[in-house]
Amino acid sequence: MKTRKSLAALLACIMLMSIFAGCNANGESQSGTPSEESGQVSGVSFNEADFPITDEPTTLTAVMLSQSPNWEYNSDMYIFKKMEELTNVKLEITNIPGEQWWEQLQLMFASNELPDILFVGVGAFINASDVITYANAGQLLPLNDLLEKYAPTYTALTDQYPEKAKLYTPDGNMYGMTALIYPVDGNARPFINQQWAGDLGYEMPETYEDFVELLKAFRDSDPSGQGTIPLSGSAGGNEVDPFVAGPLGMTYGWSNKDTWQVVDGKIVHVTQHPMYEQYLKNMNELYSEKLLDQEYYTQSQSELLAKGAAMRVGAYVHSAHFLFTNSQDPAVYDQYRMPVPFTSEYFDEIACYQDAINPAGIFITSACENPEIAVRYLDYFFTDEAAEWMYGPEDQGDGKGGIEWTEDRTVFKINTDEDSDGAYDYTNRYIAPTNVIIGNYYYSDFSKKLEMALGDQSLTYNQQTYRVPYVKPAAPTLYLSAAEIEQTAMIADAVNTYYAQMESKIVMGEEPLESYADMISHLESLGLNDLVEAYNTAYDRYKSNMN
Amino acid sequence: MDQQNAKPKRSLLRIVLRNYQVYLLLLPCIIYFALFCYGPMYGLQIAFKNYNTGLGILGSEWAGLKWFQQFLSSGVFWGIFKNTLVLSVYTIIVGFPLPIILALMLNEVRSLRFKKITQTISYAPHFISTVVIVSMITLFLSPSSGVINKIIEAFGGDAVYFMIKPKLFQHIYAFSGIWQHVGWSSIIYLAALTGIDPTLYEAAQMDGASRMRCIWHINLPSLRPVIVISLILSAGGVLGGDFEKILLMQNASIMETADVISTYVYRLGIGMSQFSLSSAIGVFNSVINFIVLLLVNKICRKVGDTSLW
């Protein structure tokens, strides 16, 4: 009995200690709030317009999302060396691998252990609701004034696009910078095996109906000789929606159709889109005719890639053909080509969709003592000179790779070292993290001199030829206010879980097509209309922010 | 008087000092629980607060029972509560007796070599990580290339897409759980069986008892305390389940049966950064588990003579 009592006392003591420990940790991290007045910088000198940005060497910490185990972004990369020479600012980088991203991101904020700058890259690698929650908690800094004062290049670039409006949150502030400004096509790209199509006597399809015919030919003639899967993908990152939803006029930001679609100037949930029932019908037809991979809804990315490497797939959606086929041999991956966006009997516009201004992907946090320095530093990434640096140094012929010019210096190509898988991998290993900070990389005058040759550059060629000319703005990423998020979080989860469940069931024939009406009424009973209303309010705010 | 009061104190200290080696061995365990189980509990308060990551755990405002009300009154509550309960109770019902039966059977095996091999094979899956286990399940049950469907097709049946049938999820979960853990869970029973006094068997054989009789009248009663304790412990996790495995097995089409409290907490907490709400749901879950543990323990004490305390 006595033993137990003293044991309990001991435990109580330890618990108390941990409370105080937590208290301390909080107190410290709170003190890092920067001074509001501009120009006043704690500890170091700050040059408002000239270089270097500070006279004494300064270090900023950064967290970056690294999407490949090959990429360990660090301050020795070419671009950061050049930037350090110019600005006297060194970036101390922590990488977070893709598979740990979401947990690490939330834990970083929840424990208030933040870097000065957070790079989440291009794409939806931070939820719109998180931006609001953490901005509301004071962990993300409002950048409006800072950008206006210290980011002339960035501001001039973004001002060209009315879609810049999406960067403003409901409180009227911008909390993040976009990492990608120009309309290049999205991350998930459709590919079709052009060689098989040619062998079977088919042209590259330009309409959805021709595409289905081609898939049937893939199914019936089995050109791979090992059980050809006409169309493959995986729900959860590699949806086939650019093939199916696009030709029905539904927008898709990445591979998945947007949850919120704009119809007649109003926001509707994707299930309320006039073409959604047709979408279900088309998907169901693809599935029941065994044109769509029968494991589409359950297979993981790695299972999909195994099929890709075995060359069993006729058409798919993935970020790159050489990644999907796991091959560096142009003879293999060049069998696949991107089609132009399809039209269909329901929709005759040739269009693929992309946020013209990518949602905010670079954030400055409350841990940053000198946000002015950070903003000036980041702004320089959007200059033409920085874009040039992102292509790396000239090849010295020492096997380390670099850019190689033609004799008249009008066109260059990128040579890689032995370890790298193509130019993209090479760049992200040694030169610049073009996945998280892109700046003017794709559209500077310098980048136009890059040779469109084989190698993985043929991906760029595919993009430039078949997709980029047809890019139209997708539905914007909308910010709900903190109060709206709190009211709708559970509804949003319930609605999206139920809708995904019903959609997959109807497509796979577990539920009849007619249950679409029941589905809508059940969604409404879950509170769909409240959710739609909240998003329409957000959309009105977005429109009022457009210039 | 003084002497009497002082006595127990000194004797406790003396006991500790005299057996300091034993207490030293206990120390890592105490530190572990204090640091990793009791320490983090102060964070539970965010279930009762409007947790603001910038203000920290202690700095956030109190919100009372707001989050509990929001969860309990929401349309999803009964669905996921039912799923969690059904999944766990079903897993206990089909999964609990099998290790006991396996242990009894292994105990009767005469060939030591055969017994060892069987044991090793049966508990090997326990050491495979959950991610791999779930991939194996998905591959075995695949409609195009899975072993099970090949067998079905060989007998002229149609391939079944097992992983997308909401009704099958609980069975797949429970029976793959048996495959994973039956060998491992039987070890504790085997250990208890080896501790039985051999004279009991000798006496029973003298009286002409068959092997089945021996099992029924000697082995099972000897196992009873262990069985009761394991049952109480597994009842304490009745709203638990193997979170990782459930999350990995989930796909869009089976959410009506596969969405349980723990995965819901994960989605709201990590996915949507609703920290207070998801903590409240987590606290609710633990409280129910604790109540069930107390109840089952009480029943066991009333009915039998074994219980946790």
Side-chain angles (χ1 to χ4, degrees), chain A residues 57-253:
Chain A
T58 308
T59 304
L60 293 173
T61 55
V63 161
M64 287 184 183
L65 163 64
S66 161
Q67 289 188 330
S68 160
N70 290 344
W71 305 340
E72 186 76 34
Y73 299 142
N74 59 71
S75 54
D76 288 334
M77 292 173 86
Y78 184 72
I79 180 97
F80 296 124
K81 281 273 168 213
K82 291 295 250 184
M83 287 292 286
E84 197 180 331
E85 278 169 30
L86 176 76
T87 61
N88 241 345
V89 176
K90 184 178 177 174
L91 218 53
E92 201 180 287
I93 302 167
T94 307
N95 289 264
I96 297 181
E99 62 270 22
Q100 294 171 20
W101 175 251
W102 290 104
E103 279 93 339
Q104 294 286 332
L105 178 76
Q106 307 286 26
L107 289 176
M108 216 155 61
F109 281 100
S111 60
N112 211 356
E113 280 168 20
L114 299 165
D116 294 335
I117 309 175
L118 172 67
F119 292 91
V120 310
V122 178
F125 289 103
I126 187 165
N127 295 320
S129 60
D130 295 343
V131 174
I132 301 300
T133 308
Y134 300 136
N136 207 32
Q139 290 174 301
L140 299 176
L141 299 185
L143 301 177
N144 308 25
D145 298 342
L146 287 167
L147 287 174
E148 203 168 302
K149 268 189 203 149
Y150 304 117
T153 321
Y154 173 84
T155 311
L157 282 171
T158 47
D159 277 347
Q160 297 169 22
Y161 296 89
E163 289 90 348
K164 184 192 182 180
K166 73 163 64 98
L167 296 172
Y168 292 95
T169 62
D171 63 8
N173 285 323
M174 278 187 279
Y175 288 97
M177 295 164 74
T178 177
L180 177 62
I181 300 176
Y182 301 95
V184 300
D185 89 304
N187 195 21
R189 299 151 186 140
F191 286 93
I192 297 177
N193 195 314
Q194 54 177 340
Q195 194 168 315
W196 293 351
D199 290 350
L200 297 171
Y202 285 84
E203 299 273 313
M204 263 318 240
E206 290 181 1
T207 66
Y208 178 74
E209 291 76 18
D210 289 348
F211 174 62
V212 174
E213 287 308 308
L214 178 64
L215 292 181
K216 284 180 181 160
F218 283 161
R219 178 194 61 192
D220 299 334
S221 337
D222 191 11
S224 74
Q226 42 181 342
T228 306
I229 302 163
L231 174 62
S232 194
S234 67
N238 294 88
E239 287 84 358
V240 296
D241 289 338
F243 284 122
V244 188
L248 292 171
M250 296 161 97
T251 61
Y252 49 90

Side-chain angles (χ1 to χ4, degrees), chain A residues 39 41 43-60 82-91 117 150-152 370-381 383 389:
Chain A
V41 162
V44 287
S45 65
F46 173 59
N47 301 325
E48 292 202 5
D50 304 325
F51 289 101
I53 300 175
T54 67
D55 293 335
E56 48 292 287
T58 308
T59 304
L60 293 173
K82 291 295 250 184
M83 287 292 286
E84 197 180 331
E85 278 169 30
L86 176 76
T87 61
N88 241 345
V89 176
K90 184 178 177 174
L91 218 53
I117 309 175
Y150 304 117
N370 305 314
E372 299 86 353
I373 293 180
V375 166
R376 277 209 68 196
Y377 181 84
L378 290 170
D379 182 56
Y380 201 75
F381 274 97
T383 62
W389 291 342

Side-chain angles (χ1 to χ4, degrees), chain A residues 253-392:
Chain A
W254 300 82
S255 63
N256 200 1
K257 57 199 176 306
D258 291 325
T259 310
W260 300 104
Q261 303 266 344
V262 181
V263 176
D264 299 332
K266 282 268 167 207
I267 290 280
V268 298
H269 190 252
V270 58
T271 52
Q272 298 168 325
H273 191 280
M275 278 293 131
Y276 184 72
E277 205 175 352
Q278 187 62 37
Y279 170 81
L280 290 176
K281 213 183 239 172
N282 288 356
M283 283 293 281
N284 176 262
E285 185 195 308
L286 291 176
Y287 190 85
S288 61
E289 297 249 355
K290 298 208 183 326
L291 300 174
L292 177 61
D293 194 329
Q294 300 292 295
E295 280 148 23
Y296 177 69
Y297 282 103
T298 51
Q299 70 188 351
S300 63
Q301 283 257 357
S302 48
E303 284 156 5
L304 172 67
L305 288 178
K307 291 174 180 174
M311 297 296 284
R312 288 180 60 197
V313 181
Y316 59 83
V317 174
H318 197 269
S319 54
H321 48 5
F322 58 93
L323 294 177
F324 187 79
T325 52
N326 191 25
S327 164
Q328 291 305 309
D329 180 4
V332 175
Y333 65 74
D334 214 34
Q335 288 185 21
Y336 292 100
R337 202 201 91 180
M338 290 185 197
V340 295
F342 299 148
T343 55
S344 72
E345 60 173 298
Y346 302 98
F347 186 72
D348 55 9
E349 200 179 329
I350 308 176
C352 67
Y353 304 93
Q354 171 70 32
D355 274 359
I357 297 263
N358 211 260
I362 304 167
F363 301 90
I364 299 177
T365 73
S366 55
C368 183
E369 289 179 19
N370 305 314
E372 299 86 353
I373 293 180
V375 166
R376 277 209 68 196
Y377 181 84
L378 290 170
D379 182 56
Y380 201 75
F381 274 97
F382 292 85
T383 62
D384 281 353
E385 190 177 24
E388 201 174 319
W389 291 342
M390 285 190 208
Y391 287 94

Side-chain angles (χ1 to χ4, degrees), chain A residues 2-4 6-7 10-11 14-15 18-23 26 29-30 102-103 106-107 109-112 127 129-130 133-134 136-139 235 287 293-300 303 307 312 485-494 497-498 500-502 504-505 508 510-511 526, chain B residues 8-9 12 16 23 26-27 30-31 33-35 38-42 45 50-59 66-67 70-71 74-76 135 138-139 142-146 161 163-166 251-257 259 264 266-275 277 281:
Chain A
K2 271 277 166 193
T3 342
R4 200 190 277 175
S6 34
L7 206 81
L10 180 71
L11 285 179
I14 292 172
M15 278 168 71
S18 54
I19 291 177
F20 291 126
C23 183
N26 272 325
S29 46
Q30 279 298 298
W102 290 104
E103 279 93 339
Q106 307 286 26
L107 289 176
F109 281 100
S111 60
N112 211 356
N127 295 320
S129 60
D130 295 343
T133 308
Y134 300 136
N136 207 32
Q139 290 174 301
Y287 190 85
D293 194 329
Q294 300 292 295
E295 280 148 23
Y296 177 69
Y297 282 103
T298 51
Q299 70 188 351
S300 63
E303 284 156 5
K307 291 174 180 174
R312 288 180 60 197
I485 292 171
E486 198 186 301
Q487 280 157 16
T488 57
M490 290 180 86
I491 300 178
D493 179 74
T497 308
Y498 179 76
Q501 176 185 323
M502 283 306 286
S504 63
K505 281 181 163 186
M508 290 189 286
E510 300 281 311
E511 292 272 347
L526 289 173
Chain B
K9 249 188 199 170
L12 173 69
V16 172
Y23 283 91
L26 186 67
L27 195 64
I30 294 176
I31 292 176
F33 277 102
L35 274 185
Y38 287 95
M41 272 195 205
Y42 91 95
Q45 54 182 297
N50 284 324
Y51 180 50
N52 175 318
T53 47
L55 298 176
I57 293 176
L58 292 175
K66 173 173 126 185
W67 302 111
Q70 194 176 335
F71 174 57
S74 79
V76 295
S135 294
T138 321
L139 284 176
S142 150
S144 58
S145 56
Y161 198 168
M163 297 300 280
I164 59 147
K165 308 267 186 207
N251 61 64
S253 46
I254 57 171
M255 291 306 269
E256 66 182 76
T257 57
D259 200 13
Y264 187 67
Y266 174 82
R267 266 208 322 278
L268 283 181
I270 297 291
M272 305 173 83
S273 54
Q274 297 292 307
F275 300 114
L277 176 60
I281 302 171

